């Protein structure tokens, strides 16, 4: 059963914008952290951004700081990733993830402590 439903991927030109959405249903809606990760062939999974749903605190990878913004709706069940000033290197499959952990034992960006994952949405910048 899919508990994280993503949408909003697609194609954009360099310098353009895209907005991704991720809606949590069922058990995933209790996630305390909601994050976005991306994968490209031959590269390690990269944590892009995360939001602590209880307080709205956000963290970003250095590669996207100042260009991407993560946010949530008032119900705290939908998370958005606004991507501006897109670059070719942002091309990847983007995954939404949810974690019920209060505190990460290692880092939010490794992805190891997320129990819920979406099916992925492709972002292509060219």
């Amino acid at each position: 059963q899919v508990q994280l439903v993503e949408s909003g991927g697609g194609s954009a030109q360099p310098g353009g914008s895209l907005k991704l959405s991720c809606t949590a249903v069922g058990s995933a809606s209790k996630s305390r952290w909601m994050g976005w990760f991306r994968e490209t062939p031959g590269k390690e999974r990269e944590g892009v951004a995360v939001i602590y749903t209880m307080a709205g605190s956000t963290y970003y990878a250095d590669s996207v700081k100042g260009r991407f913004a993560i946010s949530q709706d008032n119900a705290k069940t939908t998370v958005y990733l606004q991507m501006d000033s897109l670059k070719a290197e942002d091309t990847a499959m983007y995954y939404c993830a949810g974690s019920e952990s209060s505190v990460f034992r290692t880092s939010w960006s490794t992805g190891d402590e997320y129990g819920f994952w979406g099916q992925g949405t492709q972002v292509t910048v060219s």
Side-chain angles (χ1 to χ4, degrees):
Q1 182 181 2
V2 177
Q3 299 202 35
L4 291 176
V5 182
E6 301 145 336
S7 62
S11 298
Q13 293 183 342
S17 299
L18 285 172
K19 186 173 184 177
L20 306 182
S21 299
C22 173
T23 298
V25 298
S27 299
S29 64
K30 299 176 183 178
S31 296
R32 295 181 179 180
W33 296 87
M34 294 283 290
W36 288 96
F37 292 78
R38 62 188 182 186
E39 292 184 4
T40 55
K43 289 187 178 181
E44 290 188 1
R45 179 176 59 196
E46 180 184 18
V48 175
V50 70
I51 185 167
Y52 182 52
T53 61
M54 308 303 289
S57 309
T58 58
Y59 301 89
Y60 297 91
D62 288 342
S63 58
V64 305
K65 277 181 183 176
R67 300 189 299 120
F68 290 11
I70 189 170
S71 61
Q72 62 181 350
D73 68 347
N74 289 337
K76 302 178 182 178
T77 56
T78 297
V79 173
Y80 306 98
L81 185 67
Q82 177 66 45
M83 303 184 293
D84 298 322
S85 302
L86 283 164
K87 304 176 181 179
E89 50 262 45
D90 295 320
T91 295
M93 184 71 79
Y94 284 71
Y95 295 90
C96 177
S99 174
E100 295 177 288
S101 300
S102 297
V103 178
F104 291 107
R105 294 189 299 273
T106 55
S107 168
W108 68 267
S109 61
T110 64
D112 295 340
E113 297 174 63
Y114 293 76
F116 304 102
W117 289 87
Q119 75 279 14
T121 185
Q122 179 67 38
V123 170
T124 302
V125 184
S126 63

